[in-house]
Amino acid sequence: MRSRGFFGALGWLLVRLRFAVVLFWAAVALAAYLYLPALGDSTSSSLADVVPESAPAARAEAQAEGLAGSVEAPAILVYSNPEGFSGPDLDQMAYGVQRLNEGPGRLYGLRRAVPLAAQNPSNPTRVDRDLLGDEALPVLLYFEPGTRLTEIATGVGEIREDLGSPGPLRTSATGIRLVQHDTKIAIEGNLVLVTVVTTLAIFLVVALAYRSLVAPLIPLASIGLATFLTLRVLGWVAAVQGVSIPAQIEPIIVVLLFGVGTDYALFLLSRTRQALEEGTGRLEAARVGVEKVGGILLSSAAVLIAAFALLVLADLGLYRALGPGLALALCIVFAVTLTLVPALLAVLGPAAFGRRSLAPRRDPSRRPAFRRAGPISVVLVAGLVVASAGNLGLKVGFDQLANLPESATSVRGYEELTGEFPGGVLAPVNVLVRGEDLDEKNEELLRLQTGMQSELLDAGGSALTFGPQYAGRVPEIDFVSPDGSAARVLLVFYGPPFSPEALDQARGLQERLPVLLDEAGLEDATGVVGGQTALSAAARDTSEDDLKKVAPLLFAVSFVVLALLLRTPVAPVYLLISTALSFTATMGVCALLFQNVFGQDGVVYYVPFTLFLLLVALGSDYNIFIMAAVREEAEGRPLKEAVPAALARTGPTINAAGLALAASFLALTLIPLQDFFQVGVAVALGVLLDAFVIRTLLVPALVLLVGPAGFWPAKVRP
């Protein structure tokens, strides 16, 4: 058969150079292994790396440099005794603090160890019996500037080991940097498990779909190669540019590549097998697969790459880093799949599928059509709208502590700490005030503290406040700068500092701060709210704003690609509406599932954005695949026969692809972090809904309901 078009010519070239193509990709993989670094060495888990610099919480971090002392200790050593501190306990704690400040403890990179009970400005490391709690004493650990996350964690571990005792006095550790380290370790320690489980799940799905043990090896070969190359290239880019990539990116890239790579490979396998069933030879069948599916893969990849590239317009650093990484990943998986899979199919031929899978099939045109397209559409849309109602109770936040498993070191230390101290000790809220002669305005600053306390009470919260009246009593903390140009007020929340309520209260304080300054008599001053709580609130709010900004652009890109592929502006409208309903329904179900069934405080801030991005982009995959088949079938038969024929041809492939993609994301739940559990479950549910309900039931019903008008200006028989 004569090759038609670019993809026909490409298919002809690939099958004739099939062995050279396989050897080429093997050589590329070897070169990447030898010369490109791994990605894991360039990852970070800090919120400060993802919040935009324009956010008030980020500005507060910079403005705090004018005041001496850090209000947020990287780590906290917690002495505790459930039986109450004894005299020997006091002696041991005093010795431990002294040793950390004067002895070999300096080798940990430690700059200062400050017990929270100390109030003697001449000796901030003193432990006074009268100032101790009954069962717990936190010791704030300040490290030298530039100390790396792993060095802090290692140093704290060694400190605990050195200062531990066999008696009832216990030492544990917590702190925001340890929380970040535990998060990083949970991701890195389970990434191999996620990859193995995803591989096995895809092997099982493809093997069952094609009743062959050889067929799954083809997509797995292309996926494995694409994933390896992507992570190596990203590691190289991060190393060259000297940037840190958020730790959440690597697992998401891995499962996305496995899922999308399986989709693309299944599309090629499906069309190649169809050609083999029609009696086409091995080489010609592989060529036809490229010719018929190449344009579909290109259109699908274009939507995905454009969608991810749009993330450079986002303000949240996580999305800006995720976008180019995912776009690069899609470019690589597209190139690998489009070239390596046909080459392998040309080598293996019918052996890839087995004899049973090549048995003749019943003419799909004889299958019953959707004779009640109207009622089917109404019932399905109504069900999706009802499921979307779950969003009414949606709470969004990011509790970095609740995100970790209970066995994490920082979580156990936090539990010991909060047995006697407010949870906000972990991450105090730092309110920075800029003005003139603030060193002479103690009364005004005191009124500001009172106003903030009242504001918190009105919002259902409460906190300890520390202002200039505590100068010299809180270790190593300046409340007013020497020149009087800056002042700070510390808020220590009684409850968890990262709960959705705490984030709302921090945001509310920032919004009300100008009014509170005026009421306190500081109308010429300005203020910002900083600290990890404020940074978490800024990340959540920025993510919401990014979704509102990126969503219309993503829909526009998807519309253009679908309109060009289908050569009509009509069908893309209802296709994208169905995708939007798929997202809102999935998010509504997840809100009820996470908050009411699993008892979680809320949905992690980047779950809605990630779910929207992936469902719109991946939904376009299935839209393109099924609608291209409908259009092809409609060229030779009426629309009412073309739809069931196209569905019979593409439905099993879409279902298998959906199962593989859902299994890929569900594997994320093996990482013992709440955010990965939520992302994995949400995307898996969304993909299953999309593959088994939206694309195989709702879209065919809508195509028949709209009729030939959906293909305008082309002429299609009803």
Tab-separated table of all heavy atoms in Angstrom, residues 647-692:
chain	number	residue	atom	x	y	z
A	647	LEU	N	-17.161	3.399	18.593
A	647	LEU	CA	-17.080	3.043	20.010
A	647	LEU	C	-16.614	1.598	20.186
A	647	LEU	O	-15.821	1.296	21.083
A	647	LEU	CB	-18.440	3.245	20.677
A	647	LEU	CG	-18.477	3.038	22.190
A	647	LEU	CD1	-17.549	4.015	22.879
A	647	LEU	CD2	-19.901	3.204	22.708
A	648	ALA	N	-17.106	0.707	19.325
A	648	ALA	CA	-16.684	-0.687	19.405
A	648	ALA	C	-15.198	-0.822	19.103
A	648	ALA	O	-14.501	-1.672	19.674
A	648	ALA	CB	-17.494	-1.533	18.420
A	649	ARG	N	-14.687	0.043	18.240
A	649	ARG	CA	-13.289	-0.017	17.851
A	649	ARG	C	-12.371	0.614	18.894
A	649	ARG	O	-11.274	0.125	19.157
A	649	ARG	CB	-13.108	0.706	16.509
A	649	ARG	CG	-11.851	0.331	15.764
A	649	ARG	CD	-11.818	1.007	14.412
A	649	ARG	NE	-11.257	2.354	14.511
A	649	ARG	CZ	-11.339	3.269	13.552
A	649	ARG	NH1	-12.024	3.000	12.450
A	649	ARG	NH2	-10.793	4.446	13.690
A	650	THR	N	-12.843	1.707	19.490
A	650	THR	CA	-11.976	2.459	20.411
A	650	THR	C	-12.292	2.217	21.880
A	650	THR	O	-11.434	2.444	22.735
A	650	THR	CB	-12.100	3.970	20.142
A	650	THR	OG1	-13.472	4.376	20.373
A	650	THR	CG2	-11.717	4.295	18.712
A	651	GLY	N	-13.535	1.776	22.187
A	651	GLY	CA	-13.944	1.626	23.581
A	651	GLY	C	-13.027	0.748	24.407
A	651	GLY	O	-12.566	1.155	25.481
A	652	PRO	N	-12.719	-0.476	23.940
A	652	PRO	CA	-11.819	-1.328	24.729
A	652	PRO	C	-10.445	-0.699	24.947
A	652	PRO	O	-9.859	-0.842	26.020
A	652	PRO	CB	-11.727	-2.603	23.884
A	652	PRO	CG	-12.992	-2.624	23.084
A	652	PRO	CD	-13.278	-1.193	22.769
A	653	THR	N	-9.940	0.002	23.930
A	653	THR	CA	-8.634	0.645	24.077
A	653	THR	C	-8.696	1.776	25.096
A	653	THR	O	-7.800	1.926	25.940
A	653	THR	CB	-8.153	1.191	22.720
A	653	THR	OG1	-8.066	0.120	21.785
A	653	THR	CG2	-6.793	1.853	22.857
A	654	ILE	N	-9.763	2.588	25.025
A	654	ILE	CA	-9.924	3.681	25.992
A	654	ILE	C	-10.076	3.128	27.401
A	654	ILE	O	-9.498	3.652	28.358
A	654	ILE	CB	-11.125	4.567	25.606
A	654	ILE	CG1	-10.807	5.368	24.343
A	654	ILE	CG2	-11.495	5.497	26.753
A	654	ILE	CD1	-11.956	6.223	23.848
A	655	ASN	N	-10.849	2.052	27.535
A	655	ASN	CA	-11.030	1.453	28.860
A	655	ASN	C	-9.717	0.910	29.412
A	655	ASN	O	-9.395	1.100	30.590
A	655	ASN	CB	-12.075	0.339	28.795
A	655	ASN	CG	-13.476	0.864	28.534
A	655	ASN	OD1	-13.750	2.043	28.722
A	655	ASN	ND2	-14.363	0.000	28.080
A	656	ALA	N	-8.955	0.227	28.552
A	656	ALA	CA	-7.655	-0.302	28.996
A	656	ALA	C	-6.695	0.832	29.339
A	656	ALA	O	-5.969	0.775	30.347
A	656	ALA	CB	-7.057	-1.196	27.915
A	657	ALA	N	-6.698	1.874	28.499
A	657	ALA	CA	-5.825	3.025	28.767
A	657	ALA	C	-6.228	3.709	30.065
A	657	ALA	O	-5.374	4.120	30.857
A	657	ALA	CB	-5.896	4.011	27.603
A	658	GLY	N	-7.547	3.833	30.292
A	658	GLY	CA	-8.022	4.441	31.529
A	658	GLY	C	-7.630	3.639	32.752
A	658	GLY	O	-7.218	4.195	33.775
A	659	LEU	N	-7.751	2.321	32.650
A	659	LEU	CA	-7.343	1.463	33.769
A	659	LEU	C	-5.851	1.597	34.048
A	659	LEU	O	-5.422	1.674	35.210
A	659	LEU	CB	-7.690	0.006	33.457
A	659	LEU	CG	-9.146	-0.412	33.636
A	659	LEU	CD1	-9.347	-1.844	33.139
A	659	LEU	CD2	-9.572	-0.301	35.098
A	660	ALA	N	-5.051	1.619	32.991
A	660	ALA	CA	-3.602	1.738	33.167
A	660	ALA	C	-3.234	3.082	33.781
A	660	ALA	O	-2.394	3.166	34.696
A	660	ALA	CB	-2.894	1.564	31.824
A	661	LEU	N	-3.874	4.149	33.297
A	661	LEU	CA	-3.581	5.480	33.822
A	661	LEU	C	-4.039	5.607	35.271
A	661	LEU	O	-3.332	6.169	36.120
A	661	LEU	CB	-4.268	6.538	32.950
A	661	LEU	CG	-3.884	7.994	33.201
A	661	LEU	CD1	-2.394	8.200	33.009
A	661	LEU	CD2	-4.670	8.914	32.272
A	662	ALA	N	-5.227	5.071	35.572
A	662	ALA	CA	-5.728	5.108	36.956
A	662	ALA	C	-4.825	4.312	37.879
A	662	ALA	O	-4.519	4.750	39.005
A	662	ALA	CB	-7.157	4.572	37.003
A	663	ALA	N	-4.378	3.152	37.420
A	663	ALA	CA	-3.465	2.340	38.239
A	663	ALA	C	-2.157	3.067	38.489
A	663	ALA	O	-1.581	2.985	39.589
A	663	ALA	CB	-3.211	0.998	37.556
A	664	SER	N	-1.679	3.806	37.478
A	664	SER	CA	-0.430	4.551	37.629
A	664	SER	C	-0.550	5.579	38.743
A	664	SER	O	0.314	5.686	39.622
A	664	SER	CB	-0.055	5.238	36.314
A	664	SER	OG	0.142	4.288	35.284
A	665	PHE	N	-1.626	6.360	38.710
A	665	PHE	CA	-1.789	7.399	39.723
A	665	PHE	C	-2.177	6.815	41.075
A	665	PHE	O	-1.819	7.371	42.121
A	665	PHE	CB	-2.810	8.434	39.260
A	665	PHE	CG	-2.210	9.485	38.372
A	665	PHE	CD1	-2.220	9.338	36.995
A	665	PHE	CD2	-1.604	10.599	38.915
A	665	PHE	CE1	-1.647	10.290	36.178
A	665	PHE	CE2	-1.027	11.560	38.109
A	665	PHE	CZ	-1.048	11.411	36.734
A	666	LEU	N	-2.902	5.712	41.073
A	666	LEU	CA	-3.258	5.091	42.343
A	666	LEU	C	-2.010	4.594	43.068
A	666	LEU	O	-1.996	4.516	44.310
A	666	LEU	CB	-4.228	3.937	42.097
A	666	LEU	CG	-5.165	3.562	43.256
A	666	LEU	CD1	-5.983	4.759	43.699
A	666	LEU	CD2	-6.069	2.422	42.847
A	667	ALA	N	-0.963	4.294	42.309
A	667	ALA	CA	0.286	3.856	42.934
A	667	ALA	C	0.903	4.953	43.791
A	667	ALA	O	1.711	4.674	44.686
A	667	ALA	CB	1.278	3.404	41.857
A	668	LEU	N	0.527	6.216	43.551
A	668	LEU	CA	1.039	7.315	44.379
A	668	LEU	C	0.612	7.173	45.833
A	668	LEU	O	1.259	7.725	46.729
A	668	LEU	CB	0.558	8.664	43.831
A	668	LEU	CG	1.213	9.178	42.548
A	668	LEU	CD1	0.559	10.475	42.121
A	668	LEU	CD2	2.707	9.376	42.747
A	669	THR	N	-0.482	6.458	46.083
A	669	THR	CA	-0.948	6.295	47.460
A	669	THR	C	0.023	5.444	48.285
A	669	THR	O	-0.103	5.396	49.512
A	669	THR	CB	-2.341	5.650	47.486
A	669	THR	OG1	-2.285	4.344	46.879
A	669	THR	CG2	-3.345	6.496	46.711
A	670	LEU	N	0.973	4.785	47.622
A	670	LEU	CA	1.979	4.015	48.357
A	670	LEU	C	2.984	4.921	49.054
A	670	LEU	O	3.688	4.485	49.971
A	670	LEU	CB	2.707	3.063	47.404
A	670	LEU	CG	1.831	1.983	46.758
A	670	LEU	CD1	2.620	1.235	45.698
A	670	LEU	CD2	1.309	1.025	47.808
A	671	ILE	N	3.077	6.175	48.616
A	671	ILE	CA	3.911	7.152	49.323
A	671	ILE	C	3.126	7.607	50.548
A	671	ILE	O	2.022	8.127	50.421
A	671	ILE	CB	4.247	8.350	48.412
A	671	ILE	CG1	5.039	7.878	47.198
A	671	ILE	CG2	5.021	9.414	49.181
A	671	ILE	CD1	5.339	8.974	46.194
A	672	PRO	N	3.641	7.412	51.763
A	672	PRO	CA	2.849	7.660	52.975
A	672	PRO	C	2.707	9.141	53.315
A	672	PRO	O	3.008	9.581	54.431
A	672	PRO	CB	3.650	6.904	54.049
A	672	PRO	CG	5.058	6.984	53.586
A	672	PRO	CD	4.991	6.891	52.077
A	673	LEU	N	2.238	9.917	52.340
A	673	LEU	CA	1.989	11.344	52.530
A	673	LEU	C	0.566	11.646	52.090
A	673	LEU	O	0.103	11.136	51.060
A	673	LEU	CB	2.976	12.185	51.720
A	673	LEU	CG	4.456	12.062	52.090
A	673	LEU	CD1	5.315	12.842	51.106
A	673	LEU	CD2	4.703	12.550	53.511
A	674	GLN	N	-0.111	12.489	52.847
A	674	GLN	CA	-1.515	12.765	52.575
A	674	GLN	C	-1.711	13.417	51.214
A	674	GLN	O	-2.688	13.121	50.514
A	674	GLN	CB	-2.075	13.675	53.671
A	674	GLN	CG	-3.579	13.843	53.631
A	674	GLN	CD	-4.071	14.733	54.763
A	674	GLN	OE1	-4.339	15.915	54.577
A	674	GLN	NE2	-4.165	14.166	55.954
A	675	ASP	N	-0.801	14.305	50.811
A	675	ASP	CA	-0.995	14.982	49.530
A	675	ASP	C	-0.889	14.011	48.361
A	675	ASP	O	-1.673	14.091	47.406
A	675	ASP	CB	-0.021	16.153	49.365
A	675	ASP	CG	1.438	15.757	49.525
A	675	ASP	OD1	1.695	14.667	50.042
A	675	ASP	OD2	2.312	16.555	49.141
A	676	PHE	N	0.037	13.042	48.427
A	676	PHE	CA	0.138	12.066	47.340
A	676	PHE	C	-1.046	11.102	47.366
A	676	PHE	O	-1.490	10.645	46.307
A	676	PHE	CB	1.452	11.304	47.429
A	676	PHE	CG	2.607	12.068	46.868
A	676	PHE	CD1	3.485	12.740	47.703
A	676	PHE	CD2	2.811	12.148	45.507
A	676	PHE	CE1	4.544	13.460	47.189
A	676	PHE	CE2	3.864	12.863	44.977
A	676	PHE	CZ	4.742	13.525	45.827
A	677	PHE	N	-1.538	10.789	48.550
A	677	PHE	CA	-2.743	9.962	48.631
A	677	PHE	C	-3.902	10.665	47.940
A	677	PHE	O	-4.635	10.052	47.151
A	677	PHE	CB	-3.086	9.699	50.102
A	677	PHE	CG	-4.384	8.963	50.303
A	677	PHE	CD1	-4.448	7.586	50.197
A	677	PHE	CD2	-5.553	9.662	50.575
A	677	PHE	CE1	-5.654	6.913	50.370
A	677	PHE	CE2	-6.766	8.998	50.750
A	677	PHE	CZ	-6.810	7.621	50.647
A	678	GLN	N	-4.063	11.944	48.211
A	678	GLN	CA	-5.173	12.683	47.619
A	678	GLN	C	-5.011	12.849	46.116
A	678	GLN	O	-5.976	12.667	45.355
A	678	GLN	CB	-5.305	14.048	48.298
A	678	GLN	CG	-5.784	13.971	49.739
A	678	GLN	CD	-6.053	15.328	50.343
A	678	GLN	OE1	-5.838	16.369	49.706
A	678	GLN	NE2	-6.535	15.347	51.570
A	679	VAL	N	-3.815	13.176	45.661
A	679	VAL	CA	-3.589	13.309	44.214
A	679	VAL	C	-3.837	11.979	43.518
A	679	VAL	O	-4.517	11.916	42.472
A	679	VAL	CB	-2.155	13.810	43.933
A	679	VAL	CG1	-1.839	13.685	42.441
A	679	VAL	CG2	-1.996	15.251	44.366
A	680	GLY	N	-3.295	10.897	44.083
A	680	GLY	CA	-3.455	9.588	43.462
A	680	GLY	C	-4.901	9.155	43.370
A	680	GLY	O	-5.371	8.726	42.305
A	681	VAL	N	-5.649	9.282	44.480
A	681	VAL	CA	-7.054	8.872	44.484
A	681	VAL	C	-7.878	9.771	43.574
A	681	VAL	O	-8.719	9.292	42.794
A	681	VAL	CB	-7.612	8.896	45.925
A	681	VAL	CG1	-9.123	8.699	45.911
A	681	VAL	CG2	-6.952	7.812	46.767
A	682	ALA	N	-7.659	11.087	43.651
A	682	ALA	CA	-8.456	12.027	42.863
A	682	ALA	C	-8.268	11.803	41.362
A	682	ALA	O	-9.248	11.719	40.605
A	682	ALA	CB	-8.097	13.469	43.231
A	683	VAL	N	-7.010	11.706	40.920
A	683	VAL	CA	-6.772	11.525	39.478
A	683	VAL	C	-7.260	10.150	39.026
A	683	VAL	O	-7.839	10.016	37.936
A	683	VAL	CB	-5.285	11.724	39.147
A	683	VAL	CG1	-5.024	11.443	37.667
A	683	VAL	CG2	-4.853	13.145	39.490
A	684	ALA	N	-7.068	9.118	39.851
A	684	ALA	CA	-7.540	7.778	39.483
A	684	ALA	C	-9.061	7.769	39.321
A	684	ALA	O	-9.587	7.233	38.334
A	684	ALA	CB	-7.112	6.755	40.534
A	685	LEU	N	-9.784	8.365	40.275
A	685	LEU	CA	-11.246	8.436	40.159
A	685	LEU	C	-11.654	9.233	38.933
A	685	LEU	O	-12.582	8.841	38.201
A	685	LEU	CB	-11.838	9.069	41.418
A	685	LEU	CG	-11.842	8.212	42.689
A	685	LEU	CD1	-12.391	9.019	43.870
A	685	LEU	CD2	-12.680	6.961	42.485
A	686	GLY	N	-10.973	10.359	38.712
A	686	GLY	CA	-11.306	11.187	37.557
A	686	GLY	C	-11.078	10.480	36.239
A	686	GLY	O	-11.895	10.576	35.312
A	687	VAL	N	-9.970	9.760	36.134
A	687	VAL	CA	-9.659	9.038	34.894
A	687	VAL	C	-10.657	7.910	34.657
A	687	VAL	O	-11.120	7.694	33.519
A	687	VAL	CB	-8.218	8.502	34.944
A	687	VAL	CG1	-7.973	7.516	33.820
A	687	VAL	CG2	-7.224	9.654	34.852
A	688	LEU	N	-11.001	7.176	35.712
A	688	LEU	CA	-11.985	6.095	35.565
A	688	LEU	C	-13.344	6.642	35.153
A	688	LEU	O	-14.023	6.064	34.286
A	688	LEU	CB	-12.096	5.307	36.876
A	688	LEU	CG	-10.864	4.479	37.261
A	688	LEU	CD1	-11.062	3.840	38.631
A	688	LEU	CD2	-10.590	3.402	36.218
A	689	LEU	N	-13.748	7.748	35.769
A	689	LEU	CA	-15.009	8.386	35.374
A	689	LEU	C	-14.942	8.818	33.920
A	689	LEU	O	-15.901	8.634	33.151
A	689	LEU	CB	-15.278	9.586	36.284
A	689	LEU	CG	-16.506	10.440	35.940
A	689	LEU	CD1	-17.792	9.643	36.148
A	689	LEU	CD2	-16.533	11.708	36.799
A	690	ASP	N	-13.804	9.377	33.534
A	690	ASP	CA	-13.648	9.874	32.172
A	690	ASP	C	-13.671	8.734	31.160
A	690	ASP	O	-14.327	8.827	30.109
A	690	ASP	CB	-12.318	10.627	32.071
A	690	ASP	CG	-12.360	11.741	31.051
A	690	ASP	OD1	-13.114	12.698	31.269
A	690	ASP	OD2	-11.650	11.637	30.033
A	691	ALA	N	-12.960	7.640	31.460
A	691	ALA	CA	-12.819	6.545	30.496
A	691	ALA	C	-14.080	5.697	30.384
A	691	ALA	O	-14.444	5.261	29.281
A	691	ALA	CB	-11.629	5.662	30.876
A	692	PHE	N	-14.754	5.445	31.513
A	692	PHE	CA	-15.865	4.495	31.504
A	692	PHE	C	-17.243	5.158	31.438
A	692	PHE	O	-18.223	4.481	31.135
A	692	PHE	CB	-15.792	3.600	32.749
A	692	PHE	CG	-14.696	2.585	32.683
A	692	PHE	CD1	-13.420	2.887	33.149
A	692	PHE	CD2	-14.910	1.343	32.128
A	692	PHE	CE1	-12.400	1.958	33.085
A	692	PHE	CE2	-13.897	0.401	32.061
A	692	PHE	CZ	-12.636	0.711	32.534
